[in-house]
Amino acid sequence: MIDSGSIEKSVLNAAESSVRTSPGMTAADEIGIIRATLNVLVTKGHLGEADAANVIGSTLTQLDLFREASLASGLGLTSQVLNDAENAVRLLPDNKSVDEAAIAKAVADRLVEQGLLTPFQAAQLLMGRKKFQLGHYRILSQIGKGGMGLVFLAEHELMGRKVAIKVLPRKKVTEQSEEAFRHEIRMLGRLDHENLVRAIDAGFDGNVFYMVTEFIDGLDLNRLVKQYGRLTDDVAASIISQAARALGHAHENKIVHRDVKPGNIFVGFDGCVKLLDLGLARSEADGEASSFSGVVGTIDYIAPEQLDKNSAGSVGSAADVYSLGCTLYYTVTGNPPYPGGDRGHKARAHLDPKPISKREIQKNAKHSSTGFCDVIYGMLLKEPSDRYQSMDEVIDSLGNWLPQNPQQAVMNWMSSSPEANPHDEWVLSGDDLLEDGNENIALEQPGRGLGQDQSQSSMQAEVLQVAVRSIIVGVGVSVLVAG
């Protein structure tokens, strides 16, 4: 700066001196001194912000920036730890002539090998990101991502307890998305069931709303089928019956989920199934206003009555039966009932009074028994009153395929299938930040309605124009329909 004539030496020396003598500043923190000195010069009008940014860009290497982020991250990394790692890396013969960016990456990798950082934390620090704390929780890795937010694996800083944290970044907050987030927190707070993910905490930190839930080590049903393949009847029944129990509990508490789908059913490696995402749930509790009274759901799994503008705001528990039936169909076929075409085509298929035929179900579920396919058919009837009327009925109908210990059956099946890795790290974009400035049997009973295939329904199959918009954390989709 002096050589360029942009600032006098005496002014620079005075700014640096004031920084070095300020409380909390150590002589070893050269990067901090540089930044603080530039801030003083900008504040006093001796230097423009653009010029200060140029100085940073030309002065600090990626290794410098990695060190700065590491020391400011609150992850317990000290200058000595970073120096030791850097010295060990530079002593390696292959690193004698590499650039500082490669050294920074090698230092980060070494810290991961030493167990001082997770791969996620290392990647974030290399991008200069420093925020790994939400309330009392330290972020360890990202385990999910949706249109409106992120899900992280975190650890309570004092208790050491692993949790999942759903985050709604402030920069992505709309009135509707914030209401959905708050609504989910309220719904989970009212419910307590072994097959519902349990809420632990919620809050607001800096620029993000967050909700803390129990962490389940496993895979969502969508990923499980894609990774392990179609399920056998007994395993599918074991998983869906557990989800049905959770939905039954919600229905008993006058809550309709409205977005049941494979991505919202989580299967733990211990065989326990957890239902997720109550952000679109509709409450029928006395005196409680319904949230999102319009048409909401995910197009591949949405019930016909949810697509009808006349009934969308008042759908009952039979809508969840239909969506769970679509999910059951997916588990044994690998596809939703109407996989082809665009969203409008799929909406019209759901609204067609004629349900998918038993023959079609049997053809696509090649390894499923006729009776099992009958149960699926009974869940997918288009008229709500023709379907199973409660989750207890669904569970009873699946009873012929339920092993004595469903949870053990699921665990055994997963352990004998190809190895899964539920902790794959996500590659984050520039928008995925927590920083303040950056804002997926022998005997068989027939199911319900199993005489002739139903071809008529009282529901009118209107041709609808469907517009889809992303709504909340997860891959939930809200469908706005105009008649």
Side-chain angles (χ1 to χ4, degrees):
M1 289 188 294
I2 295 174
D3 292 342
S4 67
S6 62
I7 195 166
E8 295 182 5
K9 183 177 181 179
S10 59
V11 173
L12 178 61
N13 288 341
E16 181 182 348
S17 177
S18 67
V19 167
R20 288 186 180 276
T21 57
S22 62
M25 185 61 69
T26 62
D29 187 9
E30 290 296 331
I31 299 174
I33 290 172
I34 292 172
R35 284 193 182 275
T37 300
L38 291 171
N39 285 338
V40 170
L41 294 173
V42 170
T43 300
K44 294 188 178 227
H46 298 300
L47 197 65
E49 290 185 4
D51 292 330
N54 289 334
V55 171
I56 291 293
S58 61
T59 304
L60 302 183
T61 67
Q62 186 162 350
L63 180 59
D64 292 329
L65 296 174
F66 174 76
R67 288 181 62 91
E68 179 186 35
S70 297
L71 292 171
S73 67
L75 296 176
L77 298 174
T78 65
S79 293
Q80 186 62 53
V81 167
L82 294 170
N83 289 339
D84 290 345
E86 181 183 346
N87 292 335
V89 165
R90 290 189 182 279
L91 288 175
L92 298 175
D94 293 342
N95 290 334
K96 294 295 184 183
S97 59
V98 298
D99 61 26
E100 294 296 281
I103 293 294
K105 177 65 167 61
V107 171
D109 290 344
R110 183 173 180 83
L111 294 172
V112 171
E113 291 171 4
Q114 293 175 322
L116 299 176
L117 292 176
T118 67
F120 170 82
Q121 291 168 342
Q124 295 291 286
L125 291 172
L126 285 169
M127 289 187 277
R129 298 173 185 174
K130 309 167 187 176
K131 186 172 178 62
F132 295 90
Q133 199 81 12
L134 285 174
H136 295 293
Y137 303 92
R138 180 171 297 152
I139 304 299
L140 301 178
S141 65
Q142 187 182 355
I143 54 178
K145 179 180 180 181
M148 273 294 173
L150 312 167
V151 182
F152 296 97
L153 172 64
E155 184 178 64
H156 193 282
E157 60 183 350
L158 297 178
M159 300 173 64
R161 180 184 189 180
K162 295 282 195 307
V163 297
I165 299 185
K166 179 181 285 190
V167 169
L168 186 64
R170 189 68 187 176
K171 66 172 293 186
K172 295 185 177 181
V173 169
T174 64
E175 183 177 344
Q176 189 176 45
S177 66
E178 181 179 339
E179 170 57 20
F181 201 75
R182 292 179 180 274
H183 180 69
E184 181 173 12
I185 293 171
R186 291 195 299 270
M187 293 299 99
L188 279 177
R190 283 174 47 185
L191 301 174
D192 185 19
H193 189 274
E194 62 180 346
N195 296 119
L196 272 169
V197 64
R198 286 187 168 93
I200 297 172
D201 195 4
F204 183 80
D205 187 331
N207 69 319
V208 296
F209 291 98
Y210 67 91
M211 177 173 64
V212 184
T213 69
E214 62 178 322
F215 169 67
I216 309 107
D217 192 15
L219 295 167
D220 69 63
L221 190 52
N222 183 52
R223 291 180 64 195
L224 185 143
V225 171
K226 288 183 183 300
Q227 189 159 323
Y228 290 161
R230 303 175 187 184
L231 308 187
T232 58
D233 290 353
D234 61 328
V235 174
S238 297
I239 291 173
I240 296 302
S241 65
Q242 291 186 65
R245 278 195 283 272
L247 287 165
H249 177 72
H251 295 166
E252 288 171 2
N253 285 274
K254 301 184 181 301
I255 293 172
V256 182
H257 192 286
R258 299 200 299 181
D259 196 26
V260 179
K261 58 184 177 182
N264 282 340
I265 295 174
F266 209 89
V267 184
F269 287 120
D270 62 356
C272 184
V273 172
K274 298 280 186 176
L275 182 67
L276 313 174
D277 254 336
L278 289 171
L280 297 182
R282 174 180 174 270
S283 174
E284 299 174 313
D286 293 339
E288 183 172 347
S290 296
S291 179
F292 301 107
S293 58
V295 180
V296 295
T298 298
I299 195 62
D300 279 323
Y301 302 93
I302 194 168
E305 59 268 32
Q306 289 178 253
L307 287 165
D308 185 333
K309 62 181 180 181
N310 296 317
S311 60
S314 59
V315 296
S317 58
D320 287 346
V321 172
Y322 183 92
S323 296
L324 190 63
C326 291
T327 300
L328 179 56
Y329 181 97
Y330 170 79
T331 66
V332 294
T333 67
N335 288 299
Y338 307 110
D342 60 17
R343 293 183 176 95
H345 175 85
K346 293 177 180 182
R348 289 188 289 273
H350 285 299
L351 284 164
D352 186 341
K354 185 177 181 179
I356 187 170
S357 69
K358 289 186 282 183
R359 180 178 298 178
E360 183 75 8
I361 296 172
Q362 187 72 67
K363 182 182 76 172
N364 294 328
K366 298 176 181 177
H367 304 295
S368 292
S369 67
T370 301
F372 195 84
C373 292
D374 285 348
V375 175
I376 298 174
Y377 176 78
M379 298 174 74
L380 295 181
L381 296 174
K382 299 304 181 74
E383 181 63 40
S385 61
D386 290 336
R387 295 174 209 143
Y388 297 104
Q389 293 301 290
S390 71
M391 288 298 164
D392 284 341
E393 286 190 19
V394 171
I395 295 169
D396 288 344
S397 295
L398 291 172
N400 289 328
W401 297 272
L402 279 175
Q404 186 173 1
N405 187 333
Q407 191 168 327
Q408 186 67 46
V410 175
M411 184 170 63
N412 292 344
W413 184 82
M414 293 179 74
S415 65
S416 64
S417 300
E419 183 177 357
N421 179 13
H423 305 301
D424 291 339
E425 297 292 340
W426 289 77
V427 177
L428 302 190
S429 70
D431 290 334
D432 296 334
L433 299 171
L434 296 179
E435 308 293 349
D436 289 344
N438 297 276
E439 322 255 45
N440 179 337
I441 298 176
L443 298 175
E444 298 179 352
Q445 285 183 317
R448 184 180 180 88
L450 301 178
Q452 298 294 320
D453 283 23
Q454 298 238 344
S455 60
Q456 298 295 326
S457 170
S458 62
M459 182 176 297
Q460 296 181 347
E462 301 175 62
V463 177
L464 304 176
Q465 177 185 0
V466 180
V468 178
R469 54 190 161 79
S470 165
I471 186 168
I472 57 171
V473 173
V475 289
V477 174
S478 171
V479 184
L480 177 63
V481 182

